[in-house]
Amino acid sequence: MSRQTPSDATASTAFWRSLTGMPSTPPAGDPVPPDGALPPGALEELGSVPLSFYLHVPFCAVRCGYCDFNTYSPDQVDTDAVAVWARAAHAEIDLARRVLGPRAPRPATVFVGGGTPTLVPSHLLTGLLDHLRDVFGLDPDAEVTTEANPETITPALLHGLLDAGFTRLSLGMQSSVPHVLRVLDRVHTPGRALEAARQARAAGFGDVSLDLIYGTPGESMADWAESLDAALSVAPDHLSAYALIIEDGTALAGRIRRGQVPAPDDDDLADKYLATEAALTGAGFEWYEVSNWSRGPHHRSRHNLAYWRGHNWWGIGPGAHSHVGGVRWWNVRHPRRYGALLSDGRSPGEGREVLDAGERRVERVLLELRISDGLPVGVLTASERERIAGLAGDDLLHTVDGPDGPRLVLTLRGRLLADAVVRRLLD
Ligand SMILES: C[S@@+](CC[C@H](N)C(=O)[O-])C[C@H]1O[C@@H](n2cnc3c(N)ncnc32)[C@H](O)[C@@H]1O
Ligand code: SF4
């Protein structure tokens, strides 16, 4: 396996986003019943598996040219769209309570993402978090994150979020280099994200994370090193570094197709991944998932880990995805349709798939092999276990002792080739 394989850091980002985000084409699936009821068996594990909530805010001031998330600018929605969305999201929290029933545990993590959560009036975010707390309770030490675009941050907003119970802020910095930000169509200046991170710290956020993107057309290795240095200069607790994915139908994909800017190069992406690992490790960070690093285990995103560990999560909002007990479903994407279904008392679910035991096992291998805690060897079949020695010999993974016996963990080389490792491992 050479570095010519499409960078698996990219593949990992894509897979992660297909799990949690809103891919432009939802999978075909079975219909969701109007009352949202889950098939028999899906609720059996409810009491023994942690539960998380994701809340999708589908609004942005403008769309960045690389992004295909389910988000709408003001000219694309009705003037009352934000109010309709907030009302419907309250109703979906009530629906979740009816579907999950009394055995649902108190949520361990909540993640408000987008879109641009901090574009909607903060009392709406606060109101939704309060409603979730009223309806489900929240773990006393729940991790409650909101994403935020740097240009929306003010000290007043930050204090409001802290008072409402948010514990973690995830800022979309992407780059600190002006020409890179321009290609990405980002509206903030390089310094704005850093200032927002400092303001968050000063306001009292104990968990501040920055998102970075590498591999933007025209970005040199020196540019990427500069972005990493800038991010580290504000001492964040957590960093996500995503390889740029060129999504079909985006403005950036069009510019690449027309030859106006070059497509990302796999070797360049791999080199930047290695530079990221070196810079972040040097600054005291540890990787805990292929695209995520934290300052020690207690700054890992527990919400992200819930996805990677296959826990249960309910995604509230247009286009949001959910997973409970091997059943995955996704909501209708348009905010107006989402609002209309919920105001009729119906589930906004557009489709779902029910995974059988074999599919769930494969998915577990795919997901848990990407985290530094590793995959328990006991999950593998006898023939899969026979392949471990070959993969270890190729410096792609190693075995560590875990609480439940040996576990497989990717090496640095394995992280660059994670999908290929999974393909070689599985029957
Ligand atoms: C959907 S965005 C929401 C955060 C916020 N709206 C922002 O842009 O700052 C979450 C993160 O996904 C990443 N992202 C979005 N589109 C991407 C793409 N095409 N390739 C790689 N990463 C992407 C960015 O790092 C972004 O911060
Ligand atoms: S601000 Fe964030 S969610 Fe909105 S278009 Fe840009 S990257 Fe996508």
Side-chain angles (χ1 to χ4, degrees):
M1 283 181 284
S2 80
R3 290 239 313 262
Q4 305 306 318
T5 315
S7 159
D8 280 21
T10 313
S12 158
T13 314
F15 182 68
W16 150 259
R17 295 180 64 222
S18 76
L19 270 180
T20 60
M22 292 85 219
S24 33
T25 321
D30 303 326
V32 175
D35 63 359
L38 290 167
L43 298 180
E44 268 166 26
E45 307 163 8
L46 202 58
S48 57
V49 176
L51 174 66
S52 291
F53 275 87
Y54 172 76
L55 170 66
H56 186 63
V57 184
F59 309 108
C60 286
V62 286
R63 177 177 289 275
C64 309
Y66 60 92
C67 175
D68 82 335
F69 273 65
N70 188 38
T71 183
Y72 302 82
S73 51
D75 56 314
Q76 294 178 306
V77 287
D78 303 329
T79 45
D80 62 348
V82 172
V84 169
W85 159 82
R87 224 176 8 255
H90 273 82
E92 196 184 352
I93 292 172
D94 297 332
L95 175 82
R97 178 85 262 179
R98 288 196 298 278
V99 170
L100 297 178
R103 274 190 304 161
R106 289 190 296 183
T109 71
V110 180
F111 192 102
V112 182
T116 305
T118 43
L119 200 63
V120 304
S122 60
H123 73 268
L124 294 181
L125 297 186
T126 305
L128 281 160
L129 185 57
D130 285 346
H131 192 53
L132 195 61
R133 204 182 273 116
D134 290 346
V135 173
F136 279 94
L138 270 188
D139 247 15
D141 70 337
E143 176 191 278
V144 185
T145 305
T146 185
E147 285 183 339
N149 287 36
E151 66 278 8
T152 61
I153 293 296
T154 62
L157 172 73
L158 292 166
H159 285 293
L161 293 171
L162 282 167
D163 289 346
F166 284 89
T167 63
R168 192 169 175 276
L169 191 77
S170 172
L171 286 161
M173 171 175 167
Q174 322 309 355
S175 167
S176 70
V177 177
H179 74 88
V180 175
L181 288 172
R182 258 197 312 280
V183 173
L184 293 175
D185 291 332
R186 298 295 290 188
V187 295
H188 52 88
T189 58
R192 191 67 192 90
L194 304 175
E195 190 190 336
R198 283 192 206 98
Q199 287 175 331
R201 185 70 83 212
F205 270 95
D207 261 307
V208 178
S209 177
L210 297 172
D211 283 354
L212 293 172
I213 290 182
Y214 58 95
T216 299
E219 181 191 60
S220 65
M221 270 304 277
D223 291 334
W224 177 239
E226 189 179 319
S227 291
L228 288 168
D229 279 353
L232 289 170
S233 74
V234 293
D237 305 292
H238 182 281
L239 273 159
S240 302
Y242 298 118
L244 178 68
I245 301 171
I246 305 303
E247 303 284 2
D248 286 347
T250 57
L252 184 57
R255 293 169 68 192
I256 291 175
R257 203 179 48 249
R258 291 190 294 276
Q260 291 164 333
V261 292
D265 170 81
D266 283 337
D267 281 347
D268 177 63
L269 291 174
D271 287 341
K272 285 176 178 163
Y273 186 85
L274 295 175
T276 309
E277 169 69 9
L280 299 191
T281 310
F285 283 72
E286 295 164 0
W287 78 286
Y288 69 96
E289 188 280 322
V290 173
S291 303
N292 289 283
W293 288 258
S294 69
R295 249 184 339 104
H298 58 290
H299 286 298
R300 294 175 180 180
S301 161
R302 286 194 276 137
H303 189 86
N304 284 358
L305 280 169
Y307 295 135
W308 294 102
R309 291 190 173 130
H311 292 171
N312 293 328
W313 77 86
W314 190 299
I316 305 274
H321 287 223
S322 302
H323 166 259
V324 173
V327 184
R328 260 184 208 308
W329 71 96
W330 47 94
N331 286 349
V332 295
R333 290 169 59 82
H334 201 281
R336 195 184 312 119
R337 175 126 181 77
Y338 172 77
L341 284 165
L342 281 153
S343 74
D344 277 359
R346 294 171 57 193
S347 161
E350 182 175 53
R352 77 179 181 196
E353 50 196 18
V354 181
L355 306 179
D356 63 25
E359 290 165 332
R360 288 187 82 181
R361 191 190 73 86
V362 167
E363 198 165 286
R364 187 165 174 199
V365 173
L366 227 72
L367 293 169
E368 291 190 23
L369 205 54
R370 286 187 151 73
I371 56 179
S372 65
D373 286 345
L375 170 78
V377 171
V379 171
L380 299 174
T381 63
S383 50
E384 288 166 349
R385 282 179 216 188
E386 283 169 16
R387 298 184 193 120
I388 294 173
L391 289 162
D394 289 343
D395 186 28
L396 292 167
L397 46 76
H398 59 104
T399 308
V400 299
D401 285 334
D404 42 8
R407 289 178 173 221
L408 299 181
V409 178
L410 292 174
T411 59
L412 178 55
R413 182 170 138 76
R415 277 146 67 190
L416 285 169
L417 298 164
D419 278 0
V421 176
V422 170
R423 279 196 299 276
R424 264 181 67 180
L425 187 61
L426 282 172
D427 283 334

